Amino acid sequence: MQNSTSPSATKVIYTDVTRNTIYPLSSDISKQISQASFIAIDTEFTGLSLCHASPVLGLNTADWNTRASDMREMYKAMANVAKSHALVSLGLSTYTHTSSGMFHVYNFNCILQEQNTHFISPASMSFLAQNGFDINKQAQLGIRYFSGPNPMPLESRSTDINLEGTLMRDVVFEMIRQKKPLVIHNGLFDLVYLYQSFFGPLPDSYESFVFDLSQMFPAGIYDTKFIAEKLEPGKASFLAYLYHKNERTQRLRRDQNLKWLYIKQTKIVVKEKQASESHKQRPSSRDANNLSEKPYCEHFATYGHCKYNERCKRSHNIPFILDCQEKEEKALQGNASAETETSASSEQTNGKRKRNGDGGSQPSKILKALNGKTIQQSTTNDQETVESSDNAPVYHNAACDAFMTGYIFASLRIEHGDAIDELKNKVSRAGRSSEPLLIQASRYSSSSTTYKQTIKIIEKQDSDRN
């Protein structure tokens, strides 16, 4: 095993799980799940919608609108997508609370290869490839599984495929068996794909789907996007932005001798295949002090993506963007103070405000402490000192995204305490942030046939173990 401890875990350490390593690693993953305080997940898949489908397929595109305003129509469309497309990776991070503010984290990047014939969206695969996803590795080493069947399909001829898929499914069963809080980020599609791929065929109605989720994860499902938007509304709420923002929050808490988040990561090394190293975030050489024309991409800073990708001439580096935004806010506060200077007494007042870092309206404590300040991170166990974002996590790598999701949740828990629990079981909906999906059992609905069948399998496994 390799360990890393750090006050802010900029470098994500994860273990790749492939068809060559799923057998020796499955017991380790299950062990970490059983010991975890909470589990964070993220998935990558071959499609978010059905676009430009061949007329030969005869599909009614009205049934594939995943952004429909009606929840029943939206769920039907998402179910259609999950049933016809495939998961290509599952990121799983186990966070175990060890002491005040400290978590021991294991990150697993499960590379998957569905054996059912399925659709692949060119846009989705292009997006994954641009963000470092190794399509060749997925084709050669992906864990082979069959989606949706309950139990394993008879047509599965290969013993190896049966074993790979069963072990991967058992990992998901362990998540259900241990009844730990599940943390996602804008993860409704993650839940739909996870259910279809490793739990069983998706229910016909969204009411049954929600009922099933409430039974599968009774400790609650926490969506960090929804929680952050409610507790800390700001300029953006996409995953990478919130992660780096919360890193800064925790550094500030550390410097102020407050309870702060401390992460220790462990990577399990399997001799057959070494876990892949994180790709480095491309550095930015722009100067954050030059604010006459914004040197960062405003669209990326707001939404987390940009249609120009690598061709964009402005920075997509999130720590750099945060630096710029802090300086912009400081400049605006300074201008506001200058406009209010109408007398000697007001000048004196404004002078006090400037000395206190307040240019009129009260800025956040974080911004006041970080303006003009160089922050360094250090890691132990022979890890290098980090002074830039070169070792930042790869965005849209499932393991890194799962880690960031868990980090945000742990940070918000330290900052807001039990207030987070009032927001559990509320999952963000695309374009409808004020109308989350409520994960709760209704007296007008019941568990699905899939749930009843799969729970019997889990119960039988428990009985056989005893």
PDB file of all heavy atoms in Angstrom, residues 398-418:
ATOM      1  N   ALA A 398     -13.514   9.172 -13.132  1.00  0.00           N
ATOM      2  CA  ALA A 398     -14.532   8.794 -12.156  1.00  0.00           C
ATOM      3  C   ALA A 398     -13.987   8.754 -10.736  1.00  0.00           C
ATOM      4  O   ALA A 398     -14.654   9.191  -9.793  1.00  0.00           O
ATOM      5  CB  ALA A 398     -15.136   7.444 -12.543  1.00  0.00           C
ATOM      6  N   ALA A 399     -12.763   8.221 -10.555  1.00  0.00           N
ATOM      7  CA  ALA A 399     -12.194   8.133  -9.216  1.00  0.00           C
ATOM      8  C   ALA A 399     -11.903   9.519  -8.647  1.00  0.00           C
ATOM      9  O   ALA A 399     -12.186   9.794  -7.472  1.00  0.00           O
ATOM     10  CB  ALA A 399     -10.923   7.290  -9.236  1.00  0.00           C
ATOM     11  N   CYS A 400     -11.322  10.393  -9.467  1.00  0.00           N
ATOM     12  CA  CYS A 400     -11.019  11.752  -9.015  1.00  0.00           C
ATOM     13  C   CYS A 400     -12.294  12.521  -8.698  1.00  0.00           C
ATOM     14  O   CYS A 400     -12.372  13.245  -7.701  1.00  0.00           O
ATOM     15  CB  CYS A 400     -10.190  12.481 -10.059  1.00  0.00           C
ATOM     16  SG  CYS A 400      -8.528  11.828 -10.263  1.00  0.00           S
ATOM     17  N   ASP A 401     -13.300  12.358  -9.545  1.00  0.00           N
ATOM     18  CA  ASP A 401     -14.567  13.054  -9.298  1.00  0.00           C
ATOM     19  C   ASP A 401     -15.249  12.533  -8.039  1.00  0.00           C
ATOM     20  O   ASP A 401     -15.861  13.301  -7.289  1.00  0.00           O
ATOM     21  CB  ASP A 401     -15.491  12.895 -10.508  1.00  0.00           C
ATOM     22  CG  ASP A 401     -15.081  13.775 -11.677  1.00  0.00           C
ATOM     23  OD1 ASP A 401     -14.050  14.470 -11.555  1.00  0.00           O
ATOM     24  OD2 ASP A 401     -15.764  13.763 -12.714  1.00  0.00           O
ATOM     25  N   ALA A 402     -15.167  11.220  -7.800  1.00  0.00           N
ATOM     26  CA  ALA A 402     -15.726  10.665  -6.563  1.00  0.00           C
ATOM     27  C   ALA A 402     -14.995  11.224  -5.350  1.00  0.00           C
ATOM     28  O   ALA A 402     -15.620  11.587  -4.339  1.00  0.00           O
ATOM     29  CB  ALA A 402     -15.641   9.137  -6.589  1.00  0.00           C
ATOM     30  N   PHE A 403     -13.669  11.297  -5.442  1.00  0.00           N
ATOM     31  CA  PHE A 403     -12.885  11.860  -4.336  1.00  0.00           C
ATOM     32  C   PHE A 403     -13.287  13.316  -4.082  1.00  0.00           C
ATOM     33  O   PHE A 403     -13.492  13.723  -2.931  1.00  0.00           O
ATOM     34  CB  PHE A 403     -11.392  11.791  -4.648  1.00  0.00           C
ATOM     35  CG  PHE A 403     -10.555  12.559  -3.662  1.00  0.00           C
ATOM     36  CD1 PHE A 403     -10.231  12.012  -2.439  1.00  0.00           C
ATOM     37  CD2 PHE A 403     -10.109  13.847  -3.959  1.00  0.00           C
ATOM     38  CE1 PHE A 403      -9.472  12.733  -1.509  1.00  0.00           C
ATOM     39  CE2 PHE A 403      -9.350  14.568  -3.043  1.00  0.00           C
ATOM     40  CZ  PHE A 403      -9.041  14.012  -1.815  1.00  0.00           C
ATOM     41  N   MET A 404     -13.374  14.119  -5.137  1.00  0.00           N
ATOM     42  CA  MET A 404     -13.735  15.529  -4.977  1.00  0.00           C
ATOM     43  C   MET A 404     -15.127  15.669  -4.375  1.00  0.00           C
ATOM     44  O   MET A 404     -15.377  16.538  -3.541  1.00  0.00           O
ATOM     45  CB  MET A 404     -13.645  16.257  -6.325  1.00  0.00           C
ATOM     46  CG  MET A 404     -12.228  16.438  -6.825  1.00  0.00           C
ATOM     47  SD  MET A 404     -12.091  17.579  -8.238  1.00  0.00           S
ATOM     48  CE  MET A 404     -12.810  16.577  -9.545  1.00  0.00           C
ATOM     49  N   THR A 405     -16.050  14.796  -4.801  1.00  0.00           N
ATOM     50  CA  THR A 405     -17.407  14.822  -4.260  1.00  0.00           C
ATOM     51  C   THR A 405     -17.381  14.566  -2.755  1.00  0.00           C
ATOM     52  O   THR A 405     -18.028  15.283  -1.978  1.00  0.00           O
ATOM     53  CB  THR A 405     -18.272  13.756  -4.957  1.00  0.00           C
ATOM     54  OG1 THR A 405     -18.359  14.056  -6.356  1.00  0.00           O
ATOM     55  CG2 THR A 405     -19.673  13.710  -4.370  1.00  0.00           C
ATOM     56  N   GLY A 406     -16.622  13.549  -2.337  1.00  0.00           N
ATOM     57  CA  GLY A 406     -16.513  13.255  -0.918  1.00  0.00           C
ATOM     58  C   GLY A 406     -15.833  14.369  -0.140  1.00  0.00           C
ATOM     59  O   GLY A 406     -16.219  14.685   0.998  1.00  0.00           O
ATOM     60  N   TYR A 407     -14.810  14.972  -0.745  1.00  0.00           N
ATOM     61  CA  TYR A 407     -14.093  16.068  -0.091  1.00  0.00           C
ATOM     62  C   TYR A 407     -15.034  17.245   0.162  1.00  0.00           C
ATOM     63  O   TYR A 407     -15.038  17.830   1.249  1.00  0.00           O
ATOM     64  CB  TYR A 407     -12.918  16.507  -0.954  1.00  0.00           C
ATOM     65  CG  TYR A 407     -12.021  17.533  -0.297  1.00  0.00           C
ATOM     66  CD1 TYR A 407     -10.843  17.148   0.332  1.00  0.00           C
ATOM     67  CD2 TYR A 407     -12.359  18.881  -0.291  1.00  0.00           C
ATOM     68  CE1 TYR A 407     -10.017  18.086   0.943  1.00  0.00           C
ATOM     69  CE2 TYR A 407     -11.549  19.825   0.325  1.00  0.00           C
ATOM     70  CZ  TYR A 407     -10.384  19.424   0.937  1.00  0.00           C
ATOM     71  OH  TYR A 407      -9.586  20.357   1.551  1.00  0.00           O
ATOM     72  N   ILE A 408     -15.826  17.599  -0.839  1.00  0.00           N
ATOM     73  CA  ILE A 408     -16.777  18.709  -0.688  1.00  0.00           C
ATOM     74  C   ILE A 408     -17.747  18.409   0.451  1.00  0.00           C
ATOM     75  O   ILE A 408     -18.036  19.266   1.292  1.00  0.00           O
ATOM     76  CB  ILE A 408     -17.543  18.948  -2.004  1.00  0.00           C
ATOM     77  CG1 ILE A 408     -16.588  19.436  -3.097  1.00  0.00           C
ATOM     78  CG2 ILE A 408     -18.665  19.950  -1.796  1.00  0.00           C
ATOM     79  CD1 ILE A 408     -17.190  19.384  -4.495  1.00  0.00           C
ATOM     80  N   PHE A 409     -18.255  17.175   0.482  1.00  0.00           N
ATOM     81  CA  PHE A 409     -19.217  16.797   1.517  1.00  0.00           C
ATOM     82  C   PHE A 409     -18.590  16.902   2.907  1.00  0.00           C
ATOM     83  O   PHE A 409     -19.180  17.467   3.835  1.00  0.00           O
ATOM     84  CB  PHE A 409     -19.715  15.376   1.268  1.00  0.00           C
ATOM     85  CG  PHE A 409     -20.680  14.879   2.309  1.00  0.00           C
ATOM     86  CD1 PHE A 409     -21.990  15.335   2.337  1.00  0.00           C
ATOM     87  CD2 PHE A 409     -20.283  13.953   3.266  1.00  0.00           C
ATOM     88  CE1 PHE A 409     -22.883  14.882   3.305  1.00  0.00           C
ATOM     89  CE2 PHE A 409     -21.162  13.501   4.233  1.00  0.00           C
ATOM     90  CZ  PHE A 409     -22.457  13.966   4.253  1.00  0.00           C
ATOM     91  N   ALA A 410     -17.376  16.360   3.069  1.00  0.00           N
ATOM     92  CA  ALA A 410     -16.705  16.421   4.367  1.00  0.00           C
ATOM     93  C   ALA A 410     -16.426  17.865   4.775  1.00  0.00           C
ATOM     94  O   ALA A 410     -16.571  18.232   5.953  1.00  0.00           O
ATOM     95  CB  ALA A 410     -15.405  15.621   4.318  1.00  0.00           C
ATOM     96  N   SER A 411     -16.036  18.694   3.811  1.00  0.00           N
ATOM     97  CA  SER A 411     -15.772  20.105   4.094  1.00  0.00           C
ATOM     98  C   SER A 411     -17.032  20.830   4.531  1.00  0.00           C
ATOM     99  O   SER A 411     -17.036  21.586   5.511  1.00  0.00           O
ATOM    100  CB  SER A 411     -15.172  20.777   2.852  1.00  0.00           C
ATOM    101  OG  SER A 411     -15.018  22.171   3.040  1.00  0.00           O
ATOM    102  N   LEU A 412     -18.130  20.593   3.805  1.00  0.00           N
ATOM    103  CA  LEU A 412     -19.400  21.236   4.159  1.00  0.00           C
ATOM    104  C   LEU A 412     -19.906  20.752   5.509  1.00  0.00           C
ATOM    105  O   LEU A 412     -20.521  21.517   6.256  1.00  0.00           O
ATOM    106  CB  LEU A 412     -20.440  20.959   3.066  1.00  0.00           C
ATOM    107  CG  LEU A 412     -20.190  21.623   1.707  1.00  0.00           C
ATOM    108  CD1 LEU A 412     -21.203  21.133   0.683  1.00  0.00           C
ATOM    109  CD2 LEU A 412     -20.234  23.142   1.817  1.00  0.00           C
ATOM    110  N   ARG A 413     -19.644  19.487   5.822  1.00  0.00           N
ATOM    111  CA  ARG A 413     -20.052  18.953   7.122  1.00  0.00           C
ATOM    112  C   ARG A 413     -19.311  19.672   8.248  1.00  0.00           C
ATOM    113  O   ARG A 413     -19.907  20.024   9.275  1.00  0.00           O
ATOM    114  CB  ARG A 413     -19.760  17.452   7.168  1.00  0.00           C
ATOM    115  CG  ARG A 413     -19.970  16.809   8.527  1.00  0.00           C
ATOM    116  CD  ARG A 413     -21.434  16.750   8.912  1.00  0.00           C
ATOM    117  NE  ARG A 413     -22.153  15.690   8.241  1.00  0.00           N
ATOM    118  CZ  ARG A 413     -23.455  15.462   8.385  1.00  0.00           C
ATOM    119  NH1 ARG A 413     -24.169  16.247   9.175  1.00  0.00           N
ATOM    120  NH2 ARG A 413     -24.041  14.480   7.732  1.00  0.00           N
ATOM    121  N   ILE A 414     -18.007  19.911   8.075  1.00  0.00           N
ATOM    122  CA  ILE A 414     -17.233  20.635   9.078  1.00  0.00           C
ATOM    123  C   ILE A 414     -17.736  22.075   9.205  1.00  0.00           C
ATOM    124  O   ILE A 414     -17.862  22.619  10.304  1.00  0.00           O
ATOM    125  CB  ILE A 414     -15.735  20.613   8.720  1.00  0.00           C
ATOM    126  CG1 ILE A 414     -15.161  19.206   8.934  1.00  0.00           C
ATOM    127  CG2 ILE A 414     -14.954  21.643   9.537  1.00  0.00           C
ATOM    128  CD1 ILE A 414     -13.718  19.051   8.491  1.00  0.00           C
ATOM    129  N   GLU A 415     -18.061  22.677   8.062  1.00  0.00           N
ATOM    130  CA  GLU A 415     -18.458  24.089   8.052  1.00  0.00           C
ATOM    131  C   GLU A 415     -19.875  24.296   8.581  1.00  0.00           C
ATOM    132  O   GLU A 415     -20.151  25.285   9.267  1.00  0.00           O
ATOM    133  CB  GLU A 415     -18.344  24.623   6.618  1.00  0.00           C
ATOM    134  CG  GLU A 415     -18.427  26.124   6.482  1.00  0.00           C
ATOM    135  CD  GLU A 415     -17.135  26.831   6.878  1.00  0.00           C
ATOM    136  OE1 GLU A 415     -16.119  26.156   7.114  1.00  0.00           O
ATOM    137  OE2 GLU A 415     -17.164  28.068   6.968  1.00  0.00           O
ATOM    138  N   HIS A 416     -20.787  23.371   8.261  1.00  0.00           N
ATOM    139  CA  HIS A 416     -22.212  23.612   8.556  1.00  0.00           C
ATOM    140  C   HIS A 416     -22.841  22.591   9.504  1.00  0.00           C
ATOM    141  O   HIS A 416     -23.988  22.765   9.908  1.00  0.00           O
ATOM    142  CB  HIS A 416     -23.004  23.643   7.247  1.00  0.00           C
ATOM    143  CG  HIS A 416     -22.591  24.726   6.316  1.00  0.00           C
ATOM    144  ND1 HIS A 416     -22.959  26.042   6.479  1.00  0.00           N
ATOM    145  CD2 HIS A 416     -21.800  24.699   5.209  1.00  0.00           C
ATOM    146  CE1 HIS A 416     -22.433  26.776   5.509  1.00  0.00           C
ATOM    147  NE2 HIS A 416     -21.727  25.988   4.726  1.00  0.00           N
ATOM    148  N   GLY A 417     -22.111  21.557   9.859  1.00  0.00           N
ATOM    149  CA  GLY A 417     -22.619  20.600  10.835  1.00  0.00           C
ATOM    150  C   GLY A 417     -23.897  19.904  10.412  1.00  0.00           C
ATOM    151  O   GLY A 417     -24.070  19.504   9.257  1.00  0.00           O
ATOM    152  N   ASP A 418     -24.831  19.805  11.346  1.00  0.00           N
ATOM    153  CA  ASP A 418     -26.063  19.050  11.110  1.00  0.00           C
ATOM    154  C   ASP A 418     -27.011  19.708  10.114  1.00  0.00           C
ATOM    155  O   ASP A 418     -28.007  19.094   9.716  1.00  0.00           O
ATOM    156  CB  ASP A 418     -26.802  18.835  12.440  1.00  0.00           C
ATOM    157  CG  ASP A 418     -26.020  17.941  13.388  1.00  0.00           C
ATOM    158  OD1 ASP A 418     -25.150  17.197  12.904  1.00  0.00           O
ATOM    159  OD2 ASP A 418     -26.284  17.996  14.614  1.00  0.00           O
TER     160      ASP A 418
END
